[in-house]
Amino acid sequence: MISRSKLADTIRVLSMDAVQKAGSGHPGAPMGMADIAEVLWRDFLKHNPTNPNWTDRDRFILSNGHGSMLIYSLLHLSGYKLSMNDIKSFRQLHSKTAGHPEYGYAPGIETTTGPLGQGITNGVGMALAEKVLGEQFNRDGHNIVDHHTYVFMGDGCMMEGISHEACSLAGTLGLGKLVAFWDDNGISIDGEVDGWFSDDTPKRFEAYGWHVIANVDGHNSESIHKAITEAKSITDRPSLICCKTIIGFGSPNKSASHDCHGAPLGTEEVALVRSNLGWKHPEFEIPQDIYNKWDRKEQGKADELNWQARFDTYQQAYPELAAEFTRRSQNLLPENWEQYTQDLIQTLQANPQTIATRKASQNTIEAFSPLLPEFLGGSADLTPSNLTNWSGSKSISAQDASGNYLSYGVREFAMSAMMNGIALHGGFIPYGGTFLMFMEYARNALRMAALMKQRSIFVYTHDSIGLGEDGPTHQPVEQIASLRLTPNMSTWRPCDQVETAVAWKSAIERFDGPTSLIFSRQNLVQFERDESMLANVAKGGYILSDCKGEPELILIATGSEVALAMKAKVQLANVRCRVVSMPATDVFDAQSTEYQEQVLPSHVTARVAIEAGIRDYWFKYVGLRGDIVGMTSFGESAPAEELFEMFGFTVENIVEKSKAVLER
């Protein structure tokens, strides 16, 4: 008979051995949370190691991602395709077992964690997605969406501000299938947390509206089992299970201390742990009878087959719903998507409007949404300004989750990380809005979206000093450049309603990364385009207005400044001038060399870039012989037209700089 404690010890030994071999890592959390993990994964977690992407699986997130050997041990032992050699290569180049859990590296990793607090916030997004998807598709007697989201988190996650944002909203939304485990071991990197973390955490979560189970012995399997059973019985609120644990449990000299938090135990201490636990096997050797107890392949297959049988019955009763569920689960766009969107863009070009691109964005959402029921929109308390809603928007609430729009409140960071969780869950295309300036609050969630290659669509309005009187605290300057510099982030700043629609289309069709859509507050004129120009908008940069013969001068602009470039060209009547609109630099950079050369011929070195953002970014396009009309400081509080004149965004200044570069 193999005891539960011995099964948990398997995690402890495997984790400390992998960290020891790597020469770096965090053995304390896996050793301390092993008992909780053993009960959850063997008694409750619904998953199929042979099909990690089964739609109705439970989601498990290790929010305290530094304890990554915990989840690697669980995946390996449960039967996922994560071999002992993968465990041995922990933290090594090209390994599946990276220092922190990385989405897409190893099967069974639901999200990348490590930046503390974001894992629990991803989990809130996943639990929300489960609830909304269930409301949209489940019917009486047919629950095809019915799974839980389980999250492990430590003191660090609790301290990070994003956990406050997300857990507050989770309580308000009544996410009853979200169960979080707090590893209450009282230790962080600096030592005992009493000096900097003295919150009454159970009361805090009760105030959020959570069901709280306090003072659970995290090393007693019966207590853990009872707590999880109770948490699952509460369906109208998320649950927090507060587990008292000992970090580095099993280590005679380093447990209950920060000494085991983020460093190998050392050869001598590893040997003492083996002796203390009665583990008689050498490193990386696990007896077959222990593997047999851990293996979940057959159970997982049975669970999925059971679900498939229920889905088949559902399909017979509701064939159209079943087809739509399958389409959305497989991340497919509607069959008529391409024709529909192309027709819309043609119609917009034929019916020009002078409107703010934030309004053009709302019009596009209005046009696309009936075709995309998977759209899950929202805003961080700026819906009337971002214009992220549409006529068919229905608010999501705890009482009615069948809607398609979420008011996130003033929670930019939580909104963005929740969107990542929604995208990771599947079945939705999440988008959320705020002012461009306040992407700063959410920067790391944007980075995580790009790192994980998730289709999160970030809508940013009030894109420049053009927002005017709110002043420099609200006027973005360096933000667009920082978005463009983020690997795998696509960034669009359109100049009119046509470019706006193309930008949205590109974002929706981008299955391997996030997109930031940057929109103006002020009205922008629409430009004429022939068929060739219209087709080239999707290439990120294109010739909007050309000259006869080879150009002497190229003006490059985005957004509201395209109009200035077009007016400057008129003033430069004696110069062969080309105007290039470049709404998406990353998309343009991905085009063929031949196309780039057609738009920006390398022999034409007289170039001026115009954008109401930080100027330094544009040197890559204008070179050292060109010039830039851009920002070199923060803004001021004044009407927009006065600011544009003060900072040089005038036709006269563009003409003057153009003449200067022509003379060089």
Side-chain angles (χ1 to χ4, degrees):
M1 181 72 176
I2 300 174
S3 66
R4 281 190 176 274
S5 61
K6 185 60 65 177
L7 294 172
D9 287 345
T10 310
I11 296 172
R12 294 187 174 100
V13 174
L14 197 55
S15 296
M16 74 172 185
D17 283 346
V19 171
Q20 187 66 32
K21 186 176 187 299
S24 68
H26 300 76
M31 296 174 75
M33 300 189 79
D35 297 296
I36 309 168
E38 186 273 327
V39 174
L40 175 64
W41 276 64
R42 293 187 64 251
D43 293 358
F44 293 95
L45 195 70
K46 181 179 68 173
H47 62 121
N48 183 3
T50 60
N51 182 13
N53 297 318
W54 168 35
T55 303
D56 202 43
R57 68 191 182 279
D58 289 339
R59 270 64 168 178
F60 173 79
I61 298 171
L62 184 68
S63 190
N64 47 337
H66 54 269
S68 56
M69 267 311 304
L70 175 64
I71 194 168
Y72 298 146
S73 298
L74 291 164
L75 294 170
H76 171 73
L77 293 168
S78 297
Y80 287 79
K81 288 184 178 180
L82 196 69
S83 68
M84 187 60 82
N85 283 334
D86 292 321
I87 299 294
K88 291 178 182 178
S89 63
F90 176 56
R91 287 184 159 232
Q92 304 309 301
L93 185 62
H94 303 312
S95 171
K96 294 181 181 179
T97 50
H100 289 78
E102 298 280 355
Y103 177 78
Y105 281 44
I109 302 294
E110 299 286 358
T111 181
T112 298
T113 55
L116 296 176
Q118 286 200 64
I120 177 62
T121 309
N122 294 161
V124 173
M126 291 179 188
L128 174 70
E130 192 276 342
K131 185 170 184 174
V132 176
L133 201 66
E135 287 287 335
Q136 292 181 0
F137 284 98
N138 289 345
R139 296 295 182 267
D140 289 343
H142 298 276
N143 288 339
I144 60 166
V145 182
D146 185 13
H147 52 268
H148 284 73
T149 301
Y150 297 102
V151 183
F152 281 7
M153 55 181 175
D155 292 320
C157 289
M158 289 295 196
M159 285 185 259
E160 283 286 0
I162 189 174
S163 71
H164 298 252
E165 294 183 28
C167 293
S168 168
L169 187 54
T172 299
L173 294 172
L175 302 180
K177 289 183 180 176
L178 174 63
V179 179
F181 298 78
W182 172 32
D183 180 29
D184 181 13
N185 61 36
I187 297 292
S188 67
I189 292 176
D190 278 359
E192 297 182 9
V193 301
D194 292 347
W196 50 87
F197 181 50
S198 59
D199 302 13
D200 189 330
T201 298
K203 285 185 179 178
R204 173 183 141 199
F205 274 75
E206 286 173 0
Y208 290 156
W210 287 52
H211 173 69
V212 178
I213 307 170
N215 296 314
V216 174
D217 184 346
H219 300 298
N220 184 303
S221 58
E222 290 184 8
S223 297
I224 298 164
H225 191 284
K226 180 181 177 182
I228 299 173
T229 301
E230 178 184 335
K232 290 189 68 175
S233 73
I234 305 299
T235 58
D236 63 340
R237 290 170 287 165
S239 291
L240 176 70
I241 301 175
C242 305
C243 298
K244 285 287 185 181
T245 64
I246 299 172
I247 189 171
F249 184 92
S251 174
N253 298 308
K254 296 189 176 183
S255 64
S257 164
H258 68 279
D259 290 341
C260 67
H261 172 88
L265 297 179
T267 304
E268 292 183 7
E269 190 68 13
V270 164
L272 290 174
V273 171
R274 275 186 158 73
S275 176
N276 190 40
L277 297 177
W279 188 267
K280 302 182 183 304
H281 313 287
E283 63 177 9
F284 302 116
E285 183 177 305
I286 299 172
Q288 188 59 48
D289 56 349
I290 290 180
Y291 271 125
N292 293 342
K293 285 288 186 180
W294 268 108
D295 188 271
R296 281 295 173 272
K297 293 193 292 294
E298 292 306 315
Q299 182 63 54
K301 290 177 183 177
D303 288 341
E304 184 173 355
L305 285 172
N306 178 273
W307 176 85
Q308 187 62 52
R310 288 188 285 116
F311 183 79
D312 291 343
T313 303
Y314 174 84
Q315 191 172 36
Q316 293 175 1
Y318 304 99
E320 291 183 2
L321 276 175
E324 181 67 5
F325 180 82
T326 299
R327 180 187 72 81
R328 287 170 59 172
S329 297
Q330 294 177 354
N331 214 17
L332 301 174
L333 291 172
E335 290 184 2
N336 60 334
W337 168 257
E338 185 60 32
Q339 188 62 55
Y340 180 91
T341 53
Q342 290 294 347
D343 289 348
L344 173 67
I345 292 166
Q346 292 277 358
T347 300
L348 291 174
Q349 185 62 58
N351 296 276
Q353 291 191 77
T354 298
I355 54 176
T357 49
R358 62 170 174 164
K359 180 59 181 175
S361 169
Q362 185 179 47
N363 293 344
T364 304
I365 294 170
E366 182 76 36
F368 285 179
S369 290
L371 201 65
L372 296 172
E374 59 264 47
F375 251 7
L376 186 55
S379 174
D381 202 49
L382 285 170
T383 296
S385 294
N386 297 149
L387 303 182
T388 39
N389 59 345
W390 63 291
S391 63
S393 290
K394 178 182 177 182
S395 293
I396 295 165
S397 68
Q399 295 73 33
D400 183 1
S402 62
N404 57 11
Y405 195 85
L406 184 62
S407 293
Y408 286 92
V410 187
R411 300 181 177 98
E412 296 88 354
F413 197 178
M415 175 184 73
S416 304
M418 282 178 63
M419 286 166 55
N420 292 343
I422 293 165
L424 286 158
H425 179 278
F428 295 101
I429 302 173
Y431 69 88
T434 186
F435 288 173
L436 175 57
M437 186 66 246
F438 301 134
M439 59 74 69
E440 294 288 355
Y441 284 118
R443 181 183 295 274
N444 199 255
L446 308 186
R447 187 176 190 271
M448 296 297 284
L451 187 65
M452 293 189 287
K453 302 179 181 179
Q454 291 305 298
R455 183 173 48 168
S456 296
I457 301 176
F458 303 105
V459 179
Y460 297 123
T461 66
H462 297 60
D463 66 346
S464 71
I465 58 172
L467 67 88
E469 293 86 345
D470 279 344
T473 61
H474 284 53
Q475 293 169 6
V477 172
E478 71 276 26
Q479 284 64 40
I480 298 177
S482 71
L483 288 168
R484 289 177 178 141
L485 291 171
T486 302
N488 201 40
M489 173 67 74
S490 188
T491 303
W492 287 77
R493 186 177 184 241
C495 72
D496 62 12
Q497 67 167 350
V498 172
E499 286 190 0
T500 297
V502 173
W504 266 106
K505 182 175 185 290
S506 173
I508 292 163
E509 293 174 354
R510 190 167 190 253
F511 296 97
D512 60 351
T515 302
S516 292
L517 302 175
I518 316 296
F519 299 125
S520 73
R521 178 193 186 194
Q522 67 270 35
N523 291 338
L524 305 182
V525 67
Q526 181 172 317
F527 299 102
E528 293 183 7
R529 296 176 182 85
D530 59 26
E531 288 297 316
S532 175
M533 293 177 188
L534 199 58
N536 286 336
V537 174
K539 295 179 181 178
Y542 63 101
I543 302 168
L544 179 61
S545 179
D546 213 354
C547 56
K548 292 183 179 179
E550 283 287 314
E552 300 172 89
L553 170 72
I554 300 177
L555 301 179
I556 310 168
T558 77
S560 51
E561 289 71 68
V562 172
L564 291 174
M566 294 289 278
K567 291 177 182 177
K569 181 188 176 186
V570 175
Q571 295 294 317
L572 293 161
N574 296 323
V575 177
R576 295 193 304 277
C577 179
R578 169 180 293 177
V579 175
V580 171
S581 178
M582 195 175 288
T585 59
D586 61 285
V587 177
F588 178 76
D589 290 348
Q591 301 304 313
S592 67
T593 303
E594 290 76 15
Y595 178 76
Q596 293 176 6
E597 185 68 16
Q598 289 172 17
V599 176
L600 297 175
S602 54
H603 63 273
V604 181
T605 57
R607 302 179 184 185
V608 177
I610 310 119
E611 184 175 63
I614 199 73
R615 72 190 300 269
D616 289 1
Y617 178 83
W618 287 97
F619 279 110
K620 66 182 287 187
Y621 297 105
V622 301
L624 297 179
R625 289 191 61 190
D627 206 343
I628 301 157
V629 178
M631 297 293 293
T632 59
S633 68
F634 297 115
E636 295 286 346
S637 181
E641 58 273 15
E642 295 181 23
L643 292 175
F644 277 121
E645 182 175 357
M646 172 184 173
F647 288 107
F649 295 98
T650 64
V651 173
E652 292 75 18
N653 189 38
I654 296 169
V655 169
E656 182 180 337
K657 287 184 178 291
S658 297
K659 290 179 178 178
V661 298
L662 285 167
E663 293 173 359
R664 289 179 184 172

mmCIF file of all heavy atoms in Angstrom, residues 13 41 76 403 454 458 547 553 626:
data_model
loop_
_atom_site.group_PDB
_atom_site.id
_atom_site.type_symbol
_atom_site.label_atom_id
_atom_site.label_comp_id
_atom_site.label_asym_id
_atom_site.label_seq_id
_atom_site.Cartn_x
_atom_site.Cartn_y
_atom_site.Cartn_z
ATOM 1 N N VAL A 13 10.912 14.999 -3.981
ATOM 2 C CA VAL A 13 12.232 14.494 -4.352
ATOM 3 C C VAL A 13 12.553 14.829 -5.804
ATOM 4 O O VAL A 13 13.674 15.260 -6.127
ATOM 5 C CB VAL A 13 12.306 12.970 -4.103
ATOM 6 C CG1 VAL A 13 13.623 12.412 -4.629
ATOM 7 C CG2 VAL A 13 12.160 12.669 -2.621
ATOM 8 N N TRP A 41 -4.836 16.786 -7.854
ATOM 9 C CA TRP A 41 -4.606 16.140 -9.143
ATOM 10 C C TRP A 41 -5.074 14.690 -9.178
ATOM 11 O O TRP A 41 -5.507 14.213 -10.229
ATOM 12 C CB TRP A 41 -3.116 16.230 -9.510
ATOM 13 C CG TRP A 41 -2.767 17.530 -10.168
ATOM 14 C CD1 TRP A 41 -2.851 18.762 -9.606
ATOM 15 C CD2 TRP A 41 -2.318 17.729 -11.508
ATOM 16 N NE1 TRP A 41 -2.469 19.728 -10.508
ATOM 17 C CE2 TRP A 41 -2.130 19.124 -11.680
ATOM 18 C CE3 TRP A 41 -2.028 16.875 -12.565
ATOM 19 C CZ2 TRP A 41 -1.686 19.666 -12.891
ATOM 20 C CZ3 TRP A 41 -1.559 17.419 -13.765
ATOM 21 C CH2 TRP A 41 -1.405 18.795 -13.925
ATOM 22 N N HIS A 76 4.542 15.084 -15.556
ATOM 23 C CA HIS A 76 5.316 13.870 -15.809
ATOM 24 C C HIS A 76 4.661 12.660 -15.157
ATOM 25 O O HIS A 76 4.450 11.616 -15.814
ATOM 26 C CB HIS A 76 6.739 14.042 -15.286
ATOM 27 C CG HIS A 76 7.553 12.785 -15.306
ATOM 28 N ND1 HIS A 76 8.043 12.233 -16.472
ATOM 29 C CD2 HIS A 76 7.950 11.941 -14.294
ATOM 30 C CE1 HIS A 76 8.704 11.119 -16.190
ATOM 31 N NE2 HIS A 76 8.659 10.925 -14.870
ATOM 32 N N GLY A 403 -24.142 37.401 -21.579
ATOM 33 C CA GLY A 403 -23.840 38.549 -22.417
ATOM 34 C C GLY A 403 -22.516 38.457 -23.144
ATOM 35 O O GLY A 403 -21.865 37.398 -23.213
ATOM 36 N N GLN A 454 -1.018 35.098 -27.895
ATOM 37 C CA GLN A 454 -2.463 35.037 -27.737
ATOM 38 C C GLN A 454 -3.166 36.158 -28.493
ATOM 39 O O GLN A 454 -2.670 37.285 -28.580
ATOM 40 C CB GLN A 454 -2.821 35.100 -26.260
ATOM 41 C CG GLN A 454 -2.405 33.863 -25.495
ATOM 42 C CD GLN A 454 -2.964 32.588 -26.107
ATOM 43 O OE1 GLN A 454 -4.180 32.395 -26.177
ATOM 44 N NE2 GLN A 454 -2.075 31.711 -26.552
ATOM 45 N N PHE A 458 -6.149 44.797 -27.875
ATOM 46 C CA PHE A 458 -6.131 45.919 -26.947
ATOM 47 C C PHE A 458 -6.523 47.185 -27.699
ATOM 48 O O PHE A 458 -5.856 47.562 -28.669
ATOM 49 C CB PHE A 458 -4.749 46.054 -26.313
ATOM 50 C CG PHE A 458 -4.304 44.802 -25.597
ATOM 51 C CD1 PHE A 458 -3.349 43.965 -26.170
ATOM 52 C CD2 PHE A 458 -4.851 44.452 -24.380
ATOM 53 C CE1 PHE A 458 -2.943 42.811 -25.529
ATOM 54 C CE2 PHE A 458 -4.453 43.295 -23.722
ATOM 55 C CZ PHE A 458 -3.499 42.472 -24.296
ATOM 56 N N CYS A 547 3.741 60.899 -56.918
ATOM 57 C CA CYS A 547 4.115 61.967 -57.847
ATOM 58 C C CYS A 547 4.368 61.363 -59.221
ATOM 59 O O CYS A 547 4.418 60.138 -59.374
ATOM 60 C CB CYS A 547 5.360 62.676 -57.346
ATOM 61 S SG CYS A 547 6.760 61.546 -57.071
ATOM 62 N N LEU A 553 11.306 63.276 -52.561
ATOM 63 C CA LEU A 553 11.023 63.390 -51.133
ATOM 64 C C LEU A 553 9.907 62.417 -50.764
ATOM 65 O O LEU A 553 8.935 62.266 -51.523
ATOM 66 C CB LEU A 553 10.586 64.817 -50.799
ATOM 67 C CG LEU A 553 10.029 65.084 -49.398
ATOM 68 C CD1 LEU A 553 11.149 65.030 -48.357
ATOM 69 C CD2 LEU A 553 9.314 66.443 -49.352
ATOM 70 N N GLY A 626 17.452 61.916 -43.011
ATOM 71 C CA GLY A 626 16.078 62.376 -42.941
ATOM 72 C C GLY A 626 15.802 63.170 -41.674
ATOM 73 O O GLY A 626 16.701 63.468 -40.890
#
